[in-house]
Amino acid sequence: MSRIGRMPVEIPAGVTVTVNGNTVTVKGPKGTLTDSFSERMTISVEDNKVLVQRPTDEKEDRSVHGLTRALIQNMVTGVSQGYRKILLILGVGYKAVKSGKDLQLYVGYSLMPGVGTPQAKYIVSDTDTVKLSVPTEAEIKAQGIDKMTTEKVNSGNIIVVEGVNKQEVGQMAAVIRGKRPPEPYHGKGVKYSDEYIRRKSGKAGK
C-alpha cells in the first residue's frame, strides 16, 4: 500500500481540492465530498496534484498512507465522473416501482402483518434510511446517492444506483440485492448486472 500512497492524485479540470489540516473537501461537476483522515498523514496540494506523505515507514503508517491516498482518489473520481451500480431483477411478477425518491421492490414475499399488499415493499426513503418491512427493519445511510432510477428491459427490471460516494453507492446496491438474492435453480432474484450465478439442475436434472 505504501507504493500506492506515494502516487500523486491528479486533479482533473473542473475539480477543486481544499485541504484544511487533515480535512479534505473536493468539489466537482457531480457534487461535493468532505472527509477527514488520520492526523499522522500530511496532505497537500501542489501543481494541481494531491500529495500524501507519511511520518515513518512503520507498518501502520504504510497502510494508512495507501488507504488515505486511495480514498482521496475515490473522492476525486466521484465528483468528476460519479459511480454507478446496476442491478437486474429477474422473476415472474418481480418488479421495481420508483415514486419520487422512494423505491418499492416487489420480489415475491407473501403477505405479512403490517404490509398492505401480497408482496413485501422495501422503501428507500428520502430520510436517508432504508426501511425494511419484511421480515425485519434496518437502517443505512444513503448520503452521496443523488439518483436512483428504474427502467423496463426485455428480461426484467433494471435498477441504476448512481452517486458521488463510492462506498454509499456500493452499500445501497448491496442492501437492495440483499432483499432477494438470486437463487441457483431458476436464477430469480436481484443480482448485479455483471454477476454470474452458478446454476443447479435440481431433482429433475438427476
Side-chain angles (χ1 to χ4, degrees), residues 98-160:
K98 184 171 180 289
S99 176
K101 293 184 178 181
D102 295 341
L103 179 68
Q104 299 178 357
L105 298 182
Y106 298 86
V107 287
Y109 286 108
S110 60
L111 182 62
M112 296 290 289
V115 182
T117 61
Q119 297 86 3
K121 291 184 178 180
Y122 297 98
I123 301 177
V124 181
S125 68
D126 55 4
T127 58
D128 292 344
T129 63
V130 173
K131 295 183 178 179
L132 175 58
S133 298
V134 177
T136 59
E137 181 171 317
E139 293 185 357
I140 97 166
K141 293 182 180 179
Q143 297 176 355
I145 297 177
D146 51 21
K147 185 179 180 184
M148 181 177 292
T149 61
T150 61
E151 58 183 287
K152 196 71 176 176
V153 293
N154 293 333
S155 55
N157 277 336
I158 287 236
I159 301 175
V160 181

Side-chain angles (χ1 to χ4, degrees), residues 1-3 5-6 38-42 52-69:
M1 292 297 292
S2 61
R3 289 177 295 179
R6 287 195 293 265
S38 172
E39 296 180 355
R40 294 183 61 82
M41 298 297 112
T42 301
V52 182
Q53 297 177 333
R54 63 176 185 263
T56 69
D57 287 335
E58 295 181 1
K59 182 178 180 180
E60 182 178 356
D61 284 338
R62 293 200 309 270
S63 62
V64 175
H65 187 201
L67 174 64
T68 302
R69 188 269 176 194

